[in-house]
Amino acid sequence: MPGYFVFAIHFHQPTGQLKRVSDRVFENSYKLLLEVLKEFSDLKFTVHVSGPLLLYASEYYPDWLNELAKLAQYGVIEVLGGSLGEAILPILPGEDRDLQLREYARLAEKVFGLKPRGAWLPERVWEPGLVGHFARSGIEYVLLDDSTLQRANKTSSDSLYPWLTEDAGSRLAAFFIDTALRYVLPWEHPDRVIDFMKSRVRGLENPVLVWGSDAEKFGEWRDPGWARWWLREFLNKLRFEREIQTVHPSEYLKQFGVRGLVYLPPGSYDKMLEWSGGFFRNFIAKYAEVNNMHKKMLWVRRKLERAGGGLEEAWKSYLLAQCNDAYWHGLFGGVYLAHLRQAIYENYIKAERAAEEAAGYFGEEARKLLLEDFDYDGLDELLVESRDYNVYVDLRDGGTVFEFDVKRKGLEHNLQDTMSRYAEPYLEGAKFAPDWYRRVSARVHLWSTDTGIDDWLWNTPFKDLGDLALARHYLTHMDKEGVTLRATGGYYVFGSRVAEVEVEKRVRFLSNGYAIDYAVRNLRGGVIRAKVGYEYHLAPKIDRVGEGELSYAVGGSRLSVRDRYVGRASSVRVSSPVYPDVELSASRELEVWAAPLSTLARTEKGLMEMFQGLAVHFVDHVELDPGREVRLTVETRVAW
Amino acid sequence: MRAWILTFESKTTRKVGGLAEVPPELAKGLSERGVEAVLVTPSHGLTPEGDVLLEYRVEGEVYRVSSSDLAGLRHYIVSGGLFNSSDVYGGDLYAKALAFTRVVKALYEKSLDEGDWPDVLHANDWHSGLSIVAVNSLALEKGVKTRLVYHVHLLSKSRARLEDLESLTGGKQVRGRHGVRDLRYYYEASQGFVDKLVPLVSDATVTVSDDYARTVEKWVGLNHGLRVLTVPNASSWTPELVQKYVKELAGDRGVADRAQTRRAVFKELCSGSVSALSDEAYRALKALGVDAASDTWHQCFEEDGDLVLATGRVSRQKGFDLLLNALEKVVVRNPMVRVLLMTIPVPGSESILEFMVRRLRLFDKNLKIVFGHVDKRVFVPAHYAASVFVAPSYYEPFGLVALEAMASGTPVLASDTGGFKTTVLDVRVHGLRGTGVLFENGSVGQLASYLADLTLFMAAEDGAAQPTRVPGRIMDPAIRRLLEEEPRAPSIIRRSCAHRSAEFSWARSVSRLLEVYGAV
């Protein structure tokens, strides 16, 4: 009796992927794979195309998709279902899980002409509560990782069979992707891979060995010529192999059924477990930016729910914004990819605006000011919403602006979608200090007088002599034009508190942005000698379709966002080829530091800087006696 | 038009399987339509009569081609050498296929010399398909047009060696889907698999059903963009023929009352052997505790019931394991079910036989199996007596069995594969014009559920005698509704079956084949 082999190829490009990247992957990998599948149409393959990629291919590669659909109709490939947005299902509200599965099924049925029976679970992030959602959407099986099964006290051989799992009376079969096979296929010579496969299945009755991984391993990760050779060699050999026979998962299930009942703990693939510390949701806790997107999702969902029916496009945007890639980080990219975060906000904001319009959210009001625990940290944030933009202020985190959404049609963008640098295992040993605060806007520092731009950018310790940057701010006053926030703290020299300091931020709402009137007061104690820093970060809109460059104008110069600036100026104007200019303007000329805020990414060529946003610091040299104050107004405006 | 029909077996000479039926029927039909059709086939141990057209030496052995008229059909019979054996597919089959090819090539060369070459060379399955490669290069070299038609009845994974093919073609080029190329090009494109290679160098490739055409296209490789055409098979079973056998076994009453025929069939099964078995199969069964010569326990039902019939070779392809695995679920829903398998053991089927015998012992009330070729005297009436015929094949290019069952007025529960998808009209879609149900290929659950439903449905034919058998026990709403709306539905569907089988005639197949010849 042969051993069976499920060859499951996962095609995915995230929501917001740069067009040039998607196009390159199509040329290097996806087209190559299609040709190989056609050539080896006598074998059986399993294919999953993620929702965002299906939509992209429908628009840009319809022929490729039609050919793939033909392979499905011929029974060469078994098409796996999934979620429309390739979302991590366990982190979604229950109804969204159903919706994601249902909407993908609808799309897949339209494209492939058949209803998938199995599903690809994005990043194989499994929690037992998913069973009912899959069962309700007609999914009979999913592909998980053998590590998930082994954590249910099963052996390595047990993972060569599908098992049935149950939750609240619903049932679902699970096949298990073989980790060891994933590490050799396609990296070892085809002969060795086949020998390995044979050794895995030998002596067992009807085992099924499952390989499930990214399509890009063929042609994108290594060169296409090699991939073509490898696949042809491997598949040619499989044709002659009596001990291994390709099978579709549903066919296997029909014929041999499941091995028995199992209760699976939360899990994913081995590396994901390592990166997340064993539980995917840890990413939400670790990265404030992930939490921000996740909670924006929940906030927008509330509005969509209230808006009632007939918002199909808005819901679609919302579901696509749940695309997993920017909600986590392993070795590469993830939440550190600015263009992915950008697309997520863009979609949420589109959905939000549509929901607000449908629900008549603002009524007669020009804006809403809400105190809500937006980020689920137990304390309220200040949310200012108008038809054209949102400004969210984190009172606990230094009274900073952590979200600035432009909601105008066609301009949907979160200008505050900037990124902080976190400690990452792969950065250990590198000359790198993680950010000690979130890189957002309107944070006030009392820098020591010898502080320079690099100290600020790269976190030289003991330079901020105040504790206001992280201070809890209180909303102390509100009127038609704006709100007033206040915080008190200290100015320290060698660890001793020299002066008591108050920061006041009067946030005013402009037609095309917001202004903050800052006052930094020496309430009592000694003299404050410091550089008062007003820190801003901007996420200019990245051109995801073309190759347009970002730039900024400051002090009479036009610079690339890759360049830095130190000098006297009163404004910084940021330009994007796909967006109106955004200007930060101070009420007087002072020292300005401007530079790209970059994260460090590990690549084959060593550590590389990745642009996250433009960091702008207005720096005021002060000597402030007790009872004195320094004032500055900074406006943030979009030139629409 | 002159057409050579090449086949490795023919019912007019030596028959082993279903292939033996088709080429002679098509050749006969073509002749009736004015085509000079000649059946070219090996003798397989027969001594052909007639003129010797050619003597040709292959590997030191002398082969002769004799021209004979058999069953009203012109034959070129290749005898000698490897064809002295009566075992059609035994021995070195590849060597036989090569020898046949060399002789056909020589015959074709002779026809060129004599100026009477065939307009069409129509090869059936891979054993004769290699001739297409040889004739292709020869015709190309000579600038002669012979339409090369490859007819796939059952795909094979047989491979040819490049050096053998190059020797056949004399290292010359061939004309194929990708133009005139060295043979090596097409060889590499097909990895030497004959059923990948031959379609690439044929003018047309045909098979027996639309669904199987897709399977052939897949096998050849969808990268080649080959479109495989369909010429359906036909059955020689007619309702009249069936009734003739029924009358012989159960008299006129048997024709009027299928229950009577059923009881007559059961009686035959209990009275002794009704089948012929090879020695090898006999010994294999004996080792499993079944003495097919003297035992009857394996084929004799103790009690009457709803007869479900399945027939075919003992091979995995036929999906008998699905049926036997479904039995438990069927029996729970309809304890009266009596499943009868009439199945022919073939070499290599020992493990399936063992499985069957184990199941026989488990389901001793509801399952019986006749091993070996069953005499038509019982075989045909068993079809007539059945409530339902089951064809659970994993794949089936055409599936003549479905037509035979339908000709007997018996609805068919078949897997939705191959020819069944064309021949069987699902009652859930076609209502009273339907002839059975198509279940999802490989699904034990569906097979069990629909088999229970269909047996209950058909039992309503004599429903008055079975008060507990009410439509309410039928699970599928569409099948249940048929009975609720029309109490005579079972009889009507039996008539629909007979009508449907008549739609698959050899005349129709020949018309389609002529279209293919003409389109090439």
Side-chain angles (χ1 to χ4, degrees):
Chain A
M1 293 291 264
Y4 293 91
F5 173 46
V6 169
F7 195 178
I9 307 172
H10 166 59
F11 294 78
H12 170 58
Q13 291 299 319
T15 299
Q17 180 60 287
L18 301 174
K19 187 168 184 301
R20 64 173 181 275
V21 173
S22 294
D23 290 347
R24 186 189 70 217
V25 176
F26 259 95
E27 292 306 321
N28 287 345
S29 175
Y30 296 172
K31 288 184 178 176
L32 177 154
L33 275 165
L34 178 67
E35 287 309 311
V36 169
L37 296 181
K38 283 164 71 179
E39 183 179 349
F40 291 88
S41 52
D42 50 318
L43 300 179
K44 292 173 179 170
F45 303 88
T46 303
V47 162
H48 174 250
V49 185
S50 75
L53 184 62
L54 265 186
L55 293 168
Y56 183 83
S58 303
E59 188 175 353
Y60 294 102
Y61 294 91
D63 292 345
W64 181 86
L65 208 50
N66 289 340
E67 292 277 294
L68 203 62
K70 187 176 165 193
L71 289 174
Q73 281 145 20
Y74 268 77
V76 178
I77 61 171
E78 170 160 354
V79 173
L80 292 177
S83 66
L84 183 75
E86 193 63 9
I88 302 291
L89 295 178
I91 67 170
L92 305 186
E95 288 174 13
D96 288 5
R97 299 176 189 177
D98 290 334
L99 201 56
Q100 282 282 4
L101 297 172
R102 201 165 59 232
E103 289 302 306
Y104 183 89
R106 216 162 66 141
L107 179 63
E109 221 167 328
K110 194 172 135 198
V111 172
F112 296 112
L114 39 88
K115 190 177 179 306
R117 306 175 74 148
W120 179 265
L121 183 63
E123 301 303 323
R124 281 105 75 193
V125 176
W126 166 260
E127 288 187 22
L130 294 179
V131 174
H133 299 286
F134 281 115
R136 268 196 295 283
S137 64
I139 292 294
E140 294 165 21
Y141 69 88
V142 288
L143 305 188
L144 302 179
D145 290 272
D146 53 5
S147 59
T148 307
L149 183 71
Q150 282 154 22
R151 290 162 81 216
N153 298 322
K154 297 290 178 193
T155 65
S156 166
S157 296
D158 287 332
S159 64
L160 294 173
Y161 297 93
W163 292 76
L164 196 73
T165 190
E166 175 272 341
D167 185 53
S170 297
R171 53 178 82 207
L172 181 71
F175 286 85
F176 296 94
I177 294 168
D178 196 85
T179 303
L181 181 61
R182 204 159 44 76
Y183 280 117
V184 295
L185 191 167
W187 312 120
E188 297 277 339
H189 189 280
D191 287 344
R192 281 198 291 278
V193 173
I194 289 178
D195 286 346
F196 172 78
M197 291 166 76
K198 290 199 288 197
S199 72
R200 281 289 278 140
V201 300
R202 197 165 291 147
L204 298 171
E205 195 180 347
N206 303 316
V208 57
L209 193 53
V210 181
W211 185 93
S213 195
D214 300 335
E216 297 78 27
K217 286 183 176 173
F218 304 101
E220 174 65 13
W221 291 21
R222 282 178 67 175
D223 74 277
W226 172 86
R228 193 181 295 275
W229 166 82
W230 196 96
L231 278 167
R232 298 191 79 225
E233 191 79 5
F234 175 68
L235 297 172
N236 272 332
K237 286 182 184 339
L238 266 192
R239 268 183 182 153
F240 296 105
E241 190 48 63
R242 288 180 173 273
E243 289 181 59
I244 304 280
Q245 194 175 306
T246 56
V247 72
H248 290 145
S250 65
E251 183 191 0
Y252 181 94
L253 272 184
K254 268 190 295 192
Q255 203 174 330
F256 302 111
V258 294
R259 196 69 163 176
L261 172 67
V262 71
Y263 286 94
L264 299 164
S268 179
Y269 50 88
D270 54 346
K271 286 290 172 195
M272 178 62 89
L273 293 175
E274 184 187 319
W275 297 327
S276 64
F279 190 44
F280 186 89
R281 297 183 197 222
N282 286 338
F283 288 121
I284 308 177
K286 175 177 176 179
Y287 299 102
E289 291 78 2
V290 172
N291 190 45
N292 206 143
M293 289 185 285
H294 186 255
K295 301 310 181 291
K296 179 73 178 179
M297 165 185 95
L298 299 178
W299 185 246
V300 171
R301 177 173 232 294
R302 280 165 63 175
K303 293 186 177 178
L304 282 168
E305 262 178 357
R306 281 185 214 146
L311 286 173
E312 212 164 290
E313 276 305 303
W315 278 103
K316 187 173 158 191
S317 295
Y318 170 78
L319 295 177
L320 290 173
Q322 293 175 339
C323 183
N324 78 83
D325 301 63
Y327 290 86
W328 61 279
H329 175 66
L331 281 182
F332 311 104
V335 67
Y336 287 116
L337 291 176
H339 59 277
L340 297 187
R341 296 195 311 272
Q342 172 177 301
I344 282 172
Y345 280 109
E346 199 175 296
N347 278 290
Y348 281 141
I349 294 166
K350 278 182 189 169
E352 182 180 26
R353 191 194 56 244
E356 287 174 354
E357 286 172 3
Y361 182 73
F362 290 103
E364 301 298 313
E365 297 174 283
R367 69 179 67 88
K368 282 181 184 285
L369 275 80
L370 307 163
L371 276 176
E372 289 270 347
D373 183 10
F374 172 85
D375 60 6
Y376 287 66
D377 66 350
L379 279 177
D380 287 344
E381 283 71 48
L382 169 65
L383 310 184
V384 182
E385 299 176 319
S386 71
R387 287 179 179 80
D388 284 335
Y389 63 83
N390 301 322
V391 174
Y392 297 172
V393 178
D394 191 335
L395 298 171
R396 179 152 103 165
D397 181 28
T400 49
V401 173
F402 65 93
E403 185 162 332
F404 175 27
D405 300 323
V406 176
K407 291 154 79 177
R408 280 203 155 191
K409 202 173 176 66
L411 298 180
E412 299 87 351
H413 182 51
N414 174 10
L415 280 158
Q416 201 51 69
D417 170 26
T418 49
M419 186 69 202
S420 312
R421 283 83 54 97
Y422 292 82
E424 302 294 352
Y426 55 81
L427 292 175
E428 279 170 18
K431 284 187 178 174
F432 163 77
D435 288 329
W436 54 279
Y437 56 87
R438 192 174 170 192
R439 295 288 182 165
V440 286
S441 288
R443 199 180 295 279
V444 173
H445 300 273
L446 299 177
W447 298 117
S448 65
T449 51
D450 62 347
T451 304
I453 184 171
D454 284 314
D455 298 315
W456 165 58
L457 287 174
W458 296 106
N459 300 310
T460 306
F462 310 117
K463 290 291 181 187
D464 190 332
L465 304 180
D467 55 9
L468 293 160
L470 300 176
R472 163 81 156 98
H473 284 54
Y474 293 88
L475 195 163
T476 58
H477 176 77
M478 189 172 95
D479 56 37
K480 274 187 178 174
E481 280 76 40
V483 294
T484 303
L485 315 178
R486 280 203 185 117
T488 54
Y491 165 69
Y492 301 81
V493 176
F494 298 120
S496 299
R497 187 172 172 127
V498 171
E500 190 176 347
V501 192
E502 181 186 72
V503 168
E504 182 182 288
K505 298 176 185 173
R506 165 90 177 139
V507 185
R508 288 181 288 115
F509 307 111
L510 312 172
S511 63
N512 59 349
Y514 65 95
I516 300 181
D517 305 323
Y518 295 94
V520 178
R521 298 188 183 105
N522 184 342
L523 294 179
R524 63 181 143 268
V527 179
I528 299 171
R529 290 187 186 84
K531 292 181 175 178
V532 178
Y534 308 90
E535 177 167 358
Y536 280 79
H537 292 269
L538 279 178
K541 185 110 180 183
I542 296 162
D543 182 1
R544 300 198 305 267
V545 175
E547 308 263 336
E549 289 287 324
L550 301 169
S551 64
Y552 67 103
V554 60
S557 310
R558 161 79 46 194
L559 302 169
S560 157
V561 289
R562 312 268 166 203
D563 300 329
R564 56 168 59 184
Y565 175 85
V566 175
R568 302 287 294 178
S570 61
S571 73
V572 175
R573 193 177 176 94
V574 185
S575 301
S576 158
V578 292
Y579 209 71
D581 284 359
V582 180
E583 185 167 29
L584 291 173
S585 53
S587 47
R588 57 189 158 81
E589 188 178 278
L590 69 174
E591 185 169 337
V592 171
W593 300 342
L597 189 89
S598 300
T599 50
L600 294 175
R602 197 182 75 161
T603 72
E604 287 170 352
K605 295 172 187 163
L607 291 178
M608 270 182 63
E609 291 191 10
M610 290 170 68
F611 175 77
Q612 295 295 340
L614 187 70
V616 176
H617 216 33
F618 295 101
V619 182
D620 219 358
H621 297 251
V622 299
E623 204 168 296
L624 213 55
D625 291 329
R628 301 293 300 275
E629 67 175 28
V630 60
R631 301 189 74 96
L632 184 74
T633 295
V634 178
E635 290 182 356
T636 307
R637 287 180 185 273
V638 184
W640 66 56
Chain B
M1 185 190 286
R2 194 176 294 125
W4 289 4
I5 318 285
L6 277 52
T7 179
F8 224 59
E9 58 168 314
S10 165
K11 65 178 180 180
T12 53
T13 53
R14 193 67 87 178
K15 172 178 162 64
V16 176
L19 175 64
E21 296 282 336
V22 184
E25 289 288 353
L26 291 176
K28 200 172 114 195
L30 287 169
S31 299
E32 286 164 9
R33 306 280 276 270
V35 176
E36 280 181 52
V38 180
L39 202 71
V40 186
T41 187
S43 63
H44 299 302
L46 297 173
T47 308
E49 294 173 353
D51 300 337
V52 174
L53 299 178
L54 176 75
E55 277 196 355
Y56 190 74
R57 191 173 285 273
V58 179
E59 308 271 328
E61 299 270 7
V62 176
Y63 290 83
R64 289 184 187 81
V65 180
S66 310
S67 175
S68 312
D69 282 337
L70 295 172
L73 188 64
R74 170 58 52 91
H75 286 62
Y76 291 164
I77 299 176
V78 182
S79 60
L82 294 169
F83 302 125
N84 288 329
S85 163
S86 61
D87 191 353
V88 176
Y89 296 111
D92 187 346
L93 188 56
Y94 178 63
K96 285 185 183 176
L98 278 181
F100 185 63
T101 303
R102 288 183 190 284
V103 175
V104 169
K105 184 188 173 195
L107 195 62
Y108 184 75
E109 266 180 311
K110 180 172 181 290
S111 74
L112 291 177
D113 293 343
E114 294 170 359
D116 63 350
W117 64 85
D119 303 292
V120 175
L121 186 128
H122 175 166
N124 292 275
D125 278 351
W126 78 272
H127 339 85
S128 50
L130 285 174
S131 300
I132 284 184
V133 182
V135 169
N136 181 315
S137 78
L138 194 56
L140 182 67
E141 184 193 355
K142 304 285 184 191
V144 173
K145 183 65 195 157
T146 290
R147 288 166 253 185
L148 304 173
V149 177
Y150 186 43
H151 199 146
V152 179
H153 301 267
L154 183 65
L155 281 170
S156 149
K157 289 193 173 180
S158 300
R159 293 181 76 217
R161 285 187 292 265
L162 179 61
E163 56 269 31
D164 293 331
L165 296 178
E166 284 182 335
S167 144
L168 280 175
T169 56
K172 307 256 174 16
Q173 291 189 308
V174 290
R175 182 174 46 84
R177 274 201 77 71
H178 304 297
V180 174
R181 304 263 190 159
D182 286 339
L183 179 66
R184 179 180 285 272
Y185 171 85
Y186 287 107
Y187 185 87
E188 285 174 356
S190 62
Q191 279 192 304
F193 286 103
V194 179
D195 276 344
K196 287 175 187 283
L197 170 66
V198 177
L200 292 180
V201 297
S202 298
D203 294 303
T205 300
V206 297
T207 188
V208 294
S209 66
D210 291 343
D211 191 62
Y212 205 62
R214 288 181 153 205
T215 304
V216 176
E217 288 171 11
K218 259 195 322 192
W219 174 247
V220 173
L222 293 177
N223 54 323
H224 297 297
L226 180 77
R227 188 161 168 260
V228 175
L229 306 169
T230 302
V231 176
N233 286 347
S235 165
S236 50
W237 286 34
T238 60
E240 296 72 33
L241 179 91
V242 172
Q243 287 184 15
K244 178 175 94 70
Y245 283 104
V246 170
K247 264 186 202 167
E248 282 172 18
L249 185 75
D252 288 336
R253 276 190 63 200
V255 175
D257 179 4
R258 288 175 193 256
Q260 181 79 15
T261 306
R262 184 175 66 227
R263 286 189 285 272
V265 169
F266 284 0
K267 193 174 161 197
E268 285 293 316
L269 296 177
C270 295
S271 58
S273 173
V274 293
S275 63
L277 203 59
S278 70
D279 293 347
E280 198 183 1
Y282 175 80
R283 281 195 298 275
L285 282 165
K286 188 87 189 283
L288 294 169
V290 180
D291 188 331
S294 56
D295 289 351
T296 55
W297 68 268
H298 59 285
Q299 62 184 40
C300 171
F301 288 107
E302 289 171 16
E303 290 175 31
D304 195 11
D306 301 336
L307 178 61
V308 172
L309 182 67
T311 64
R313 276 176 292 115
V314 180
S315 78
R316 203 187 114 62
Q317 178 207 342
K318 298 297 175 187
F320 292 134
D321 57 325
L322 291 175
L323 177 58
L324 299 187
N325 285 332
L327 201 51
E328 189 178 27
K329 286 185 174 182
V330 181
V331 168
V332 168
R333 298 238 348 253
N334 182 4
M336 294 299 290
V337 80
R338 302 287 180 261
V339 174
L340 176 63
L341 264 63
M342 290 181 161
T343 181
I344 303 163
V346 293
S349 62
E350 292 75 11
S351 65
I352 307 177
L353 275 182
E354 191 186 342
F355 171 72
M356 286 178 158
V357 173
R358 278 207 310 269
R359 291 297 158 124
L360 262 178
R361 294 187 200 282
L362 278 179
F363 297 99
D364 60 340
K365 295 272 189 293
N366 301 85
L367 172 67
K368 297 295 168 188
I369 304 179
V370 183
F371 297 100
H373 275 286
V374 180
D375 193 292
K376 275 197 168 175
R377 191 176 63 82
V378 177
F379 190 70
V380 178
H383 284 73
Y384 191 77
S387 298
V388 178
F389 184 90
V390 186
S393 305
Y394 288 104
Y395 62 93
E396 196 66 74
F398 183 73
L400 209 53
V401 290
L403 288 188
E404 291 170 351
M406 289 191 288
S408 311
T410 299
V412 178
L413 174 59
S415 51
D416 61 349
T417 185
F420 297 145
K421 286 168 85 167
T422 307
T423 53
V424 178
L425 301 179
D426 196 313
V427 295
R428 294 169 300 167
V429 179
H430 297 274
L432 294 174
R433 287 195 309 109
T435 65
V437 168
L438 293 167
F439 70 94
E440 189 186 308
N441 192 358
S443 169
V444 170
Q446 284 200 15
L447 169 53
S449 180
Y450 288 120
L451 185 53
D453 277 358
L454 276 182
T455 52
L456 291 168
F457 175 86
M458 293 305 291
E461 262 187 316
D462 48 4
Q466 309 282 348
T468 57
R469 296 180 178 190
V470 291
R473 290 172 61 198
I474 295 172
M475 302 289 280
D476 185 88
I479 299 174
R480 190 170 58 233
R481 204 161 43 244
L482 275 181
L483 202 55
E484 284 168 349
E485 290 173 0
E486 174 52 85
R488 293 170 304 152
S491 314
I492 297 171
I493 279 171
R494 283 198 183 277
R495 282 201 294 278
S496 300
C497 287
H499 284 139
R500 181 65 179 161
S501 74
E503 289 172 23
F504 291 85
S505 66
W506 287 115
R508 207 178 87 160
S509 303
V510 168
S511 298
R512 178 74 193 113
L513 184 59
L514 282 170
E515 282 172 26
V516 172
Y517 286 177
V520 173

